[in-house]
Structures are given as structure tokens and as C-alpha cells.
Amino acid sequence: MKIKLITVALLTALGTTVTVAADNDIAALVEQYIASGFKQGEKQHTERIVQDETQKQCTTYRNKIPSEMQKAFMERERATIKYPESGKLSGNWEQGQKTFTDGFAWRVGTIMPDKPDAVRGGNCYACHAADPKEVAAGNIGSTLTGYGKLRGNTPETIKYTYEKIYNSNTYMPCSSMPRLGHNGVLTPEQIADIVAFLVDPESPVNK
């Protein structure tokens, strides 16, 4: 009821005449306004505002998937994971540092008008600390400084790290971490490079 009242108040403030209707009518109206709020056109990635089955379930259960549903949920997410054609889940840490640092991630639109196909990075510093020399790091996610020192670079650690970056819901239903591989933000090769940045002893993350 609170959500309904807030939604009605918001739409009224925007100059919209609203008649309180069924919940699904209100939800449809909200979706309509969200969709119209994005610039339309080629490469604007407006498909992002359409929820897939995972997002719908997380919305329905307020990010707390019932225990009896969690196994099927995570198995479905794991089935989306794709690996590099080379089979190597840890790539080049120096390239991984660039991908980790690049701040564009999956914003709506293009990186710059004259380079519509420019490679996007992960914007990982928005949520995680990594290289201790980088001061502009968020703390929404856990710190990754010393990641390889703490966890090592065993095949098990590398596989877990790769899969967690590719689709975080594989290990934590309704994780707040973006599904970077699943959503096409990063390629398998880019993710492998980030893994190397986190686990390689030569990476500044582990110095």
C-alpha cells in the first residue's frame, strides 16, 4: 500500500492524472513511465529495463529467494556461464587491470559518438577496492586488495572467481553484483583478464 501511495504521489507530481486501480495496473503504469524516460533509438540498450526471469523472481521475493527454490535458481544461473575459447580462466593481469579500471561498464548509450563499438570495462572500482594505490574505490562490495595472497591462485580459486564475475547469482541468489558476463558487459576473455588481475602474484593487487 505504501508503494502504491508513493507511486501515485510521484505520478501526480509529474502532472499525471491517476486513478487508483489494481496493483498490476499501477505496476504497468510505472513500467510505462520508466521506459519512456530513456532515450529511444539504436544502441541505447533499452532492453535493460525489461526484467528476465531471475530479476522478476528477485523482485517478487524482495531479494530473498525461498530456500526450496534456491538450488534451481542457482543451477539456472550457472547454465548461462560461458568460458573463453582458449579454456584459460586466468588471462593477462595487465589487460585485466585496464578492464577492471575502465568506468564505462554498461551505461545506456555509447561510450562516445565517434567510437560506438569501443570496448567497455567493468567499472569495478565503483564497488571494490583492489590496487592499494587506487584511492577512488567504492566500498559497496568487499575489498579485493590482497585477493590472491589470501586465496591463492589454485584452479579452484580461479574457477570460482571467474564464475562469480560472469554471473554472481551462481553463488548468491539476487546478488547485488552485476552479472557482467551473462549481460554481455564483459566478454569471457575480459573476465579471464580480470581474474588474473586479482590472483596473479605480479599484480599490484597482491603487492
Side-chain angles (χ1 to χ4, degrees):
M1 178 58 71
K2 288 182 179 180
I3 294 174
K4 181 188 294 184
L5 292 175
I6 292 171
T7 303
V8 171
L10 175 61
L11 296 178
T12 302
L14 293 173
T16 303
T17 301
V18 177
T19 300
V20 177
D23 289 346
N24 57 348
D25 293 333
I26 293 294
L29 190 59
V30 171
E31 290 182 7
Q32 175 186 334
Y33 273 85
I34 291 174
S36 63
F38 284 89
K39 181 179 179 181
Q40 306 298 305
E42 186 180 1
K43 295 190 176 181
Q44 292 303 316
H45 300 289
T46 53
E47 70 277 1
R48 290 178 57 193
I49 64 177
V50 179
Q51 289 190 323
D52 63 15
E53 184 61 28
T54 293
Q55 292 167 324
K56 288 178 181 177
Q57 286 188 336
C58 290
T59 297
T60 299
Y61 295 103
R62 296 176 180 259
N63 295 332
K64 294 180 180 179
I65 301 297
S67 57
E68 65 271 17
M69 295 175 57
Q70 289 183 10
K71 181 179 179 181
F73 182 102
M74 290 188 288
E75 286 179 350
R76 181 184 66 226
E77 297 303 293
R78 180 176 294 280
T80 72
I81 296 177
K82 296 179 181 178
Y83 301 95
E85 291 184 4
S86 65
K88 293 180 60 178
L89 303 187
S90 181
N92 182 301
W93 76 257
E94 292 176 314
Q95 189 59 46
Q97 183 176 31
K98 295 177 183 177
T99 305
F100 190 101
T101 304
D102 184 275
F104 197 85
W106 197 23
R107 300 178 192 174
V108 172
T110 57
I111 297 178
M112 53 188 72
D114 58 333
K115 294 184 179 180
D117 297 320
V119 175
R120 303 170 189 271
N123 195 25
C124 304
Y125 276 117
C127 298
H128 299 279
D131 183 345
K133 294 180 180 178
E134 176 57 69
V135 296
N139 58 8
I140 296 174
S142 58
T143 179
L144 301 175
T145 302
Y147 186 92
K149 276 187 176 181
L150 293 170
R151 297 167 176 80
N153 57 359
T154 64
E156 292 77 16
T157 296
I158 289 172
K159 185 173 186 291
Y160 163 80
T161 306
Y162 180 93
E163 293 178 343
K164 184 67 180 286
I165 297 171
Y166 194 101
N167 188 337
S168 58
N169 280 275
T170 295
Y171 291 96
M172 182 183 296
C174 303
S175 168
S176 58
M177 180 172 172
R179 295 175 291 171
L180 294 169
H182 172 73
N183 288 327
V185 180
L186 299 176
T187 66
E189 290 72 25
Q190 285 179 301
I191 294 174
D193 288 339
I194 291 178
V195 172
F197 178 58
L198 294 176
V199 304
D200 196 303
E202 298 303 313
S203 167
V205 170
N206 299 309
K207 294 297 185 181

